[in-house]
Amino acid sequence: MAGGRPAGVLRPHGRPGDGPRTELEELLCAVFADLLALDRVGIHDSFFDLGGHSLLATRLAGRVRAATGAELPLADIFTHPTAAGLAACLEGLDTPRRPPLERLPRLTHAPLSPAQRRLWFLGRLEGPSATYNVTAAMRLEGSLDVGALDAALSDVVARHDILRTVIETVAGEPRQRLLPASARTGVLTVEPGPFTDEELARRIGEMASYRFDLAREAPLRVGLLGVRADTWALVLNVHHVASDGWSTAVLAHDVSTAYRARVEGRCPDWPELPVRYATSVRSLGKDTSLKAVKGYDDVTGVGTPANGYVQSYRRP
């Protein structure tokens, strides 16, 4: 997702020392350019002046972590928003190799991952918002078994713990709390319609703009809108604390798999997940305390335009 400027925006020509001097600066410049959809970024260019915002900053930290293994505090991106500044920060971080993931028993409580902690931090900073929703809309044509769909969603929520996890704060520290699979989370809302194209677009936009209360409710909501006879719009809305753009395809695939099974009168036959999100965080054993997010009280808000997006496609 691009920031606020069109691709190809460059710094003024002729500035000396603007190119990367080290491999780390080269990596950071490339990540800046990719996230902001720019042709080129210099080491002294500010991530936020070029159109970056807090959501893109979380993605930047994720890219850095994937490439270097370093957990870059979100506050460092705000206070040192250039490739040169962040390279200097990273060179001073202790970045040991992560241990291999191991299978652990399912946990009822677990610490937040660094990515989750950044989003929790932004929620505290900016207040409730739909900025971090990941939304997909699908048009379904043909006969639809609403009961089977509801059961399929329950199957998927039971399979993926993160979709029934809330974030509670205990003694000032956030942690994940897993809701029981038997709990009815009420993720599916059915509105028979019919809807005109304008009404449908407005209703999908309203669903995408839902503000999750992560301390009280699961981070998934699903809307089923009746467009006309044998035509429905299925809207999947997940908070970014539990999903990202890549995960949306996984979610849609699992819902489709479970739905086919329920229509046939059986439970979905899928293998056990090798690693669960909460247990992977515990297995990594990272220090995800608030101390790792330096400058908590000093970080100021940066414009974060709503990024809820809608993708539409036909059911196979």
Side-chain angles (χ1 to χ4, degrees), residues 168-225:
E168 61 182 10
T169 303
V170 178
E173 272 293 304
R175 68 178 184 178
Q176 300 182 58
R177 178 167 65 87
L178 178 63
L179 301 175
S182 59
R184 293 295 298 173
T185 57
V187 298
L188 178 64
T189 300
V190 181
E191 300 181 22
F195 293 91
T196 65
D197 290 345
E198 292 77 12
E199 291 171 339
L200 183 64
R202 177 183 55 80
R203 191 68 189 96
I204 291 175
E206 291 172 348
M207 290 182 170
S209 299
Y210 181 80
R211 297 184 178 188
F212 286 96
D213 183 352
L214 298 177
R216 298 177 180 274
E217 61 182 329
L220 169 68
R221 291 178 66 87
V222 182
L224 183 63
L225 307 176

Side-chain angles (χ1 to χ4, degrees), residues 125-284:
L125 180 70
E126 301 172 351
S129 170
T131 301
Y132 306 104
N133 290 355
V134 180
T135 309
M138 291 153 276
R139 182 181 294 270
L140 309 180
E141 297 183 338
S143 178
L144 179 68
D145 187 331
V146 176
L149 176 61
D150 190 29
L153 289 169
S154 294
D155 292 332
V156 172
V157 171
R159 174 173 171 79
H160 297 284
D161 293 355
I162 190 64
L163 296 179
R164 51 188 173 90
T165 296
V166 297
I167 298 178
E168 61 182 10
T169 303
V170 178
E173 272 293 304
R175 68 178 184 178
Q176 300 182 58
R177 178 167 65 87
L178 178 63
L179 301 175
S182 59
R184 293 295 298 173
T185 57
V187 298
L188 178 64
T189 300
V190 181
E191 300 181 22
F195 293 91
T196 65
D197 290 345
E198 292 77 12
E199 291 171 339
L200 183 64
R202 177 183 55 80
R203 191 68 189 96
I204 291 175
E206 291 172 348
M207 290 182 170
S209 299
Y210 181 80
R211 297 184 178 188
F212 286 96
D213 183 352
L214 298 177
R216 298 177 180 274
E217 61 182 329
L220 169 68
R221 291 178 66 87
V222 182
L224 183 63
L225 307 176
V227 181
R228 52 182 175 272
D230 292 333
T231 301
W232 300 80
L234 181 67
V235 184
L236 303 176
N237 193 21
V238 192
H239 193 278
H240 193 44
V241 77
S243 180
D244 55 22
W246 180 89
S247 304
T248 303
V250 177
L251 175 60
H253 175 270
D254 281 5
V255 171
S256 179
T257 298
Y259 175 75
R260 287 195 297 269
R262 289 299 179 177
V263 167
E264 295 171 1
R266 59 181 177 84
C267 297
D269 181 20
W270 42 34
E272 183 181 357
L273 295 172
V275 178
R276 297 184 182 277
Y277 194 87
T279 53
S280 69
V281 175
R282 178 66 60 83
S283 176
L284 288 174

Side-chain angles (χ1 to χ4, degrees), residues 15-159:
R15 176 166 180 169
D18 202 36
R21 301 161 295 187
T22 65
E23 291 185 2
L24 185 54
E25 288 182 348
E26 183 177 4
L27 168 67
L28 289 167
C29 285
V31 173
F32 275 33
D34 184 52
L35 289 175
L36 300 171
L38 301 178
D39 294 337
R40 170 186 169 274
V41 172
I43 61 172
H44 302 298
D45 287 327
S46 169
F47 182 75
F48 300 107
D49 288 347
L50 292 176
H53 48 73
S54 55
L55 179 59
L56 284 180
T58 66
R59 295 179 61 187
L60 172 60
R63 293 282 191 90
V64 170
R65 182 174 64 253
T68 68
E71 298 294 353
L72 181 64
L74 183 65
D76 281 359
I77 301 177
F78 283 87
T79 55
H80 305 282
T82 67
L86 289 178
C89 291
L90 289 168
E91 288 170 354
L93 292 178
D94 180 18
T95 58
R97 287 186 176 274
R98 290 182 172 185
L101 291 176
E102 58 179 311
R103 187 189 295 271
L104 295 173
R106 177 176 266 146
L107 301 173
T108 302
H109 296 92
L112 302 189
S113 72
Q116 287 179 316
R117 181 172 286 276
R118 283 189 289 270
L119 288 167
W120 172 81
F121 165 75
L122 290 170
R124 295 282 292 268
L125 180 70
E126 301 172 351
S129 170
T131 301
Y132 306 104
N133 290 355
V134 180
T135 309
M138 291 153 276
R139 182 181 294 270
L140 309 180
E141 297 183 338
S143 178
L144 179 68
D145 187 331
V146 176
L149 176 61
D150 190 29
L153 289 169
S154 294
D155 292 332
V156 172
V157 171
R159 174 173 171 79

